[in-house]
Amino acid sequence: MAITTDHTRAVADGAHSHAFGQGVVPQGSRAERVTSFDLADIPVPSGREEEWRFSPVAKLQPLFGEEQGAGGVLTTVVEAPEVKVEIVGRDDERLGTAGKPGDRTAVAAWNAFAEATVVTIPAEAVASDVTSIRIEGVTKDATAGHLLVHAERHSEAVVVIDHRGDATYNQTVEVVVDEGAHLTLVSVQDWADGAVHASSHRSRVGRDAKLKHVVVTFGGDVVRITPDATFTAEGGEVEMVGLYFADTDQHQEHRLFVDHAVPNCKSRVTYKGALQGTGAHVVWVGDVLIQAEAEGTDTYELNRNLVLTDGARADSVPNLEIETGEIAGAGHASATGRFDDEQLFYLMARGIPEVDARRLVVRGFFAELIEEIGVPSVKERLIESIEAELEKSMSVITGVAPAQGGEADPA
Amino acid sequence: MPTLEIRDLHVSVETKEGAKPILRGVDLTINSGETHAIMGPNGSGKSTLASALAGHPKYQVTAGTVTLDGEDVLAMTVDERARAGLFLAMQYPVEVPGVSVANFLRTAKTAIDGEAPALRHWGKEVKGAMENLRIDSTFAERSVNEGFSGGEKKRHEILQMELFKPRFAILDETDSGLDVDALRVVSEGVNRAKDNTDVGVLLITHYTRILRYIKPDFVHVFVDGRIAEEGGPELAERLENEGYDRFTNGATASA
Ligand SMILES: Nc1ncnc2c1ncn2[C@@H]1O[C@H](COP(=O)(O)OP(=O)(O)OP(=O)(O)O)[C@@H](O)[C@H]1O
Ligand SMILES: [Mg+2]
């Protein structure tokens, strides 16, 4: 049993806030991290680098190379009637505007993709339905993909990216939210076993714009997502929400970076995950940078992990860098805890069988977060997926094997 | 008549240093409708008795028997004991984040009865019971015990006792930390349950003030992991005036 909290301040259930001018500088400032469109600037990592130290780099190797095709996934977009979808070549000048790649998989994805999908929510348009982008793995060939979601000024939309099947997929998701626009972007990683997925989400948030960025990770062998968000004008708001559930030998890594480069913006980060089974490993790194100019910043980030069984490991590293004293609020909290047997006892002492009691506790752990996501179709799916994950651990208790997606042998 | 029978119960608690014996031969018989008060100094093992009866995994029964109507309680899992009709109002009720009181009550009631309660009737019953216990209706949507004050937690325990209708209820210091008004409200709840269901009650307390509201039929003095003396309600008054010195000294002398 290993519970690792790789941050001296992030003791169990500890929360603290930073007051004026108490700069907390972690391992090298985020501002100094190399970002580039050029492969030569960001070499293949060894695994000892700060941003790779928790990652299974051997399994990610195919996504570091220059040879990445386009045929490993099928992309299907079903858009709301108000929303425009195009397939464009790599020379389209709208691409590459939401920031530069910040690590090797990101720069390799940028250099390898052939065509990009561009989803545009036109100015003033309010999408009447969810726009869904389904990315289905069809072969194991290393594949690069590029997606741009552009919410023009004062538009409103919900865009859901849904990953399924088995693939070795390296992805860039660019998100541009113009003045006054409200965009909810959801990325669901519901891959089959065996999938390896790296994804760089790079977001720009304009004046008085609002981005709700949601990440949900359940399936795949290795999923490593690095959502970045940068404010480009005052009044912007970013809410980053993440939910993950790792099983035996799954690696799920979420590395966030919120760059408060301008004054009077607000960010909220809430990631919660559950782990079960030997070799289940989750990594959460939350970097928030409040630059010297970013007076009036209001930020809070939180990560919680619930360890359901022995042999699972969670690394949780919040980093807050503050370069100005004139902030409205800044804080973070990180906690990794075991399943609480006292809660289980309390519920069972009220007649509730163990299996149901465990379900209640885990559902309870995620309940608030699921409400926060606010997209009904995603919410339903999430509840179902959590139930399915729980079935796996319950089968240990009940001795009944979980049903396997329609192919279950009745014997 | 339903009976909870505890015979020569020995219980150890798991500690880092190994098993530590706490209960050293408890004998107690509770018939339905009876109220037994247990009083005794801090650390004498009262909560241990309550936890062991409910089946808390930290407490190991090393000898003795517990039967409910002849059924072996010790062979039952925690939830089976509750479904068999045992209820424990805890000294320190546990917070369960994200699980609403309404959902919790319905789930537990369904488990105990073996079928879901009729929706409309249940809604009314919960509402009425909450009103009686002066629990604000907004509590139905709050997470179980989360952020409840000490007194609110205790009232929530008695709410469950009224709704689940156990055959035997163990109340572990339900009176501690209650102000005078709350003490009266909680006592009325226990008395309603007694009147309506003929529940047998094991009332653990340090104070006689609750015994003015809930009349015990028997009082047991708990010292050093066993019952040192038994009597009627008058024994409680004597304890209040004289303290436990007589028993603890006696225990030391006889050791
Ligand atoms: N988990 C534990 N680890 C170590 N010792 C324990 C544990 N649980 C109980 N004990 C010890 O067992 C003894 C009896 O405790 P118990 O809580 O049953 O007492 P009590 O009579 O309920 O006391 P109080 O009146 O203070 O509530 C105490 O000495 C206590 O320290
Ligand atoms: Mg006690």
Side-chain angles (χ1 to χ4, degrees):
Chain A
M1 165 83 241
I3 295 175
T4 315
T5 299
D6 191 81
H7 182 74
T8 48
R9 291 161 206 281
V11 288
D13 282 313
H16 65 282
S17 291
H18 296 269
F20 285 70
Q22 278 183 294
V24 176
V25 181
Q27 315 88 334
S29 169
R30 261 319 282 249
E32 291 155 16
R33 180 86 52 92
V34 175
T35 60
S36 171
F37 289 110
D38 189 347
L39 276 167
D41 292 339
I42 307 178
V44 173
S46 65
R48 285 187 297 275
E49 299 76 4
E50 170 57 31
E51 66 267 40
W52 294 101
R53 65 187 174 112
F54 297 117
S55 313
V57 288
K59 287 186 182 166
L60 286 158
Q61 210 64 34
L63 303 183
F64 294 146
E66 298 180 22
E67 299 300 316
Q68 295 179 25
V73 299
L74 274 180
T75 301
T76 316
V77 183
V78 179
E79 69 271 31
E82 300 80 6
V83 170
K84 194 169 82 181
V85 180
E86 302 158 80
I87 308 294
V88 303
R90 16 180 328 116
D91 55 348
D92 191 290
E93 62 187 15
R94 291 171 292 178
L95 305 180
T97 60
K100 297 179 198 167
D103 63 26
R104 179 67 191 190
T105 46
V107 73
W110 171 262
N111 283 280
F113 79 94
E115 287 179 326
T117 304
V118 177
V119 174
T120 306
I121 304 103
E124 316 276 340
V126 177
S128 55
D129 202 353
V130 171
T131 293
S132 116
I133 302 165
R134 187 183 167 108
I135 298 177
E136 173 102 38
V138 288
T139 76
K140 292 285 283 176
D141 303 331
T143 295
H146 195 102
L147 172 69
L148 165 63
V149 178
H150 184 185
E152 294 183 349
R153 57 181 186 81
H154 298 297
S155 67
E156 285 180 30
V158 177
V159 175
V160 178
I161 316 167
D162 193 355
H163 303 89
R164 296 169 188 245
D166 187 4
T168 306
Y169 191 48
N170 197 4
Q171 180 184 46
T172 305
V173 178
E174 289 194 88
V175 181
V176 178
V177 191
D178 288 344
E179 182 174 343
H182 288 191
L183 176 69
T184 296
L185 182 102
V186 183
S187 182
V188 180
Q189 287 64 242
D190 203 2
W191 297 107
D193 288 350
V196 175
H197 181 204
S199 187
S200 167
H201 288 220
R202 303 198 285 274
S203 307
R204 305 250 120 172
V205 178
R207 182 173 303 277
D208 300 327
K210 193 171 174 199
L211 170 64
K212 188 191 272 191
H213 183 275
V214 181
V215 170
V216 176
T217 303
F218 283 101
D221 276 11
V222 180
V223 174
R224 185 179 188 276
I225 302 187
T226 56
D228 292 358
T230 301
F231 294 103
T232 59
E234 294 190 34
E237 200 177 321
V238 167
E239 187 184 351
M240 289 181 153
V241 179
L243 191 160
Y244 46 90
F245 207 128
D247 289 315
T248 303
D249 291 333
Q250 279 188 304
H251 178 91
Q252 298 176 349
E253 179 164 352
H254 301 97
R255 287 181 168 263
L256 295 83
F257 176 40
V258 181
D259 187 359
H260 281 272
V262 295
N264 301 320
C265 291
K266 180 178 170 182
S267 60
R268 289 287 178 273
V269 176
T270 313
Y271 268 60
K272 282 188 167 191
L275 305 78
Q276 60 188 7
T278 310
H281 187 194
V282 299
V283 178
W284 178 87
V285 178
D287 292 340
V288 174
L289 172 62
I290 304 174
Q291 298 202 23
E293 310 79 73
E295 295 180 353
T297 290
D298 180 4
T299 180
Y300 195 85
E301 52 170 353
L302 173 137
N303 176 229
R304 291 212 186 290
N305 294 302
L306 178 61
V307 182
L308 298 177
T309 67
D310 286 350
R313 165 179 162 162
D315 291 290
S316 179
V317 191
N319 293 316
L320 185 51
E321 288 180 73
I322 307 177
E323 296 176 348
T324 174
E326 305 296 318
I327 55 172
H332 62 209
S334 161
T336 295
R338 293 200 55 144
F339 188 90
D340 185 347
D341 290 333
E342 293 300 327
Q343 292 180 0
L344 191 64
F345 173 69
Y346 187 80
L347 296 174
M348 288 178 71
R350 270 54 179 149
I352 302 172
E354 178 171 358
V355 172
D356 298 330
R358 279 181 180 273
R359 266 202 199 108
L360 272 179
V361 171
V362 175
R363 273 196 216 134
F365 174 73
F366 284 122
E368 213 177 312
L369 196 64
I370 291 175
E371 286 309 317
E372 240 171 273
I373 290 172
V375 182
S377 58
V378 172
K379 179 177 157 176
E380 274 166 37
R381 179 125 163 247
L382 264 176
I383 292 170
E384 274 172 33
S385 299
I386 290 171
E387 293 301 313
E389 293 291 343
L390 283 170
E391 280 303 316
K392 294 182 200 168
S393 53
M394 294 321 158
S395 64
V396 178
I397 296 162
T398 59
V400 178
Q404 292 183 346
E407 292 161 29
D409 186 348
Chain B
M1 199 197 311
T3 304
L4 180 67
E5 206 169 315
I6 303 163
R7 284 283 158 271
D8 193 32
L9 190 68
H10 287 69
V11 170
S12 295
V13 65
E14 240 178 66
T15 70
K16 285 187 199 80
E17 291 79 36
K20 172 182 168 188
I22 309 283
L23 299 189
R24 307 187 302 130
V26 177
D27 287 294
L28 188 59
T29 302
I30 306 172
N31 294 308
S32 79
E34 291 177 356
T35 298
H36 294 243
I38 290 193
M39 305 182 79
N42 295 132
S44 56
K46 304 180 299 294
S47 290
T48 301
L49 174 63
S51 296
L53 291 175
H56 194 293
K58 257 206 315 234
Y59 299 90
Q60 300 300 326
V61 175
T62 52
T65 59
V66 179
T67 56
L68 201 168
D69 275 353
E71 297 276 337
D72 182 2
V73 170
L74 299 178
M76 300 179 196
T77 58
V78 176
D79 52 318
E80 283 168 354
R81 294 178 196 203
R83 294 200 294 273
L86 267 186
F87 178 81
L88 168 60
M90 293 185 198
Q91 186 173 4
Y92 303 108
V94 183
E95 301 190 355
V96 192
V99 178
S100 74
V101 167
N103 183 19
F104 163 69
L105 293 176
R106 197 177 344 97
T107 307
K109 182 67 176 175
T110 304
I112 289 167
D113 287 4
E115 59 179 359
L119 220 61
R120 286 224 8 235
H121 177 73
W122 176 245
K124 263 198 206 148
E125 196 177 339
V126 172
K127 193 161 167 277
M130 285 175 74
E131 272 167 16
N132 284 337
L133 287 165
R134 313 277 193 281
I135 299 174
D136 193 88
S137 61
T138 53
F139 275 73
E141 292 316 315
R142 286 180 59 176
S143 293
V144 171
N145 292 323
E146 195 179 40
F148 289 17
S149 75
E152 287 163 353
K153 283 182 181 167
K154 298 299 175 72
R155 275 182 281 169
H156 181 239
E157 296 292 286
I158 299 309
L159 173 68
Q160 295 170 56
M161 177 183 172
E162 284 204 67
L163 291 171
F164 301 160
K165 304 186 172 36
R167 299 207 279 165
F168 292 94
I170 304 150
L171 311 182
D172 191 1
E173 294 200 24
T174 300
D175 54 335
S176 296
L178 294 182
D179 63 38
V180 254
D181 291 334
L183 181 68
R184 190 173 41 78
V185 164
V186 159
S187 302
E188 284 168 7
V190 174
N191 286 331
R192 265 194 307 276
K194 282 174 52 170
D195 291 345
N196 294 338
T197 65
D198 212 29
V199 58
V201 176
L202 187 61
L203 184 96
I204 297 171
T205 183
H206 285 289
Y207 309 101
T208 48
R209 59 174 197 163
I210 193 173
L211 303 180
R212 299 202 183 104
Y213 295 102
I214 306 171
K215 294 278 174 237
D217 301 298
F218 305 93
V219 174
H220 310 269
V221 185
F222 212 78
V223 178
D224 205 13
R226 59 161 72 102
I227 290 167
E229 185 161 333
E230 299 176 301
E234 74 291 342
L235 181 54
E237 300 295 338
R238 258 181 71 200
L239 289 171
E240 181 121 306
N241 297 331
E242 297 170 16
Y244 300 114
D245 279 1
R246 192 159 61 85
F247 304 102
T248 43
N249 291 343
T252 314
S254 69

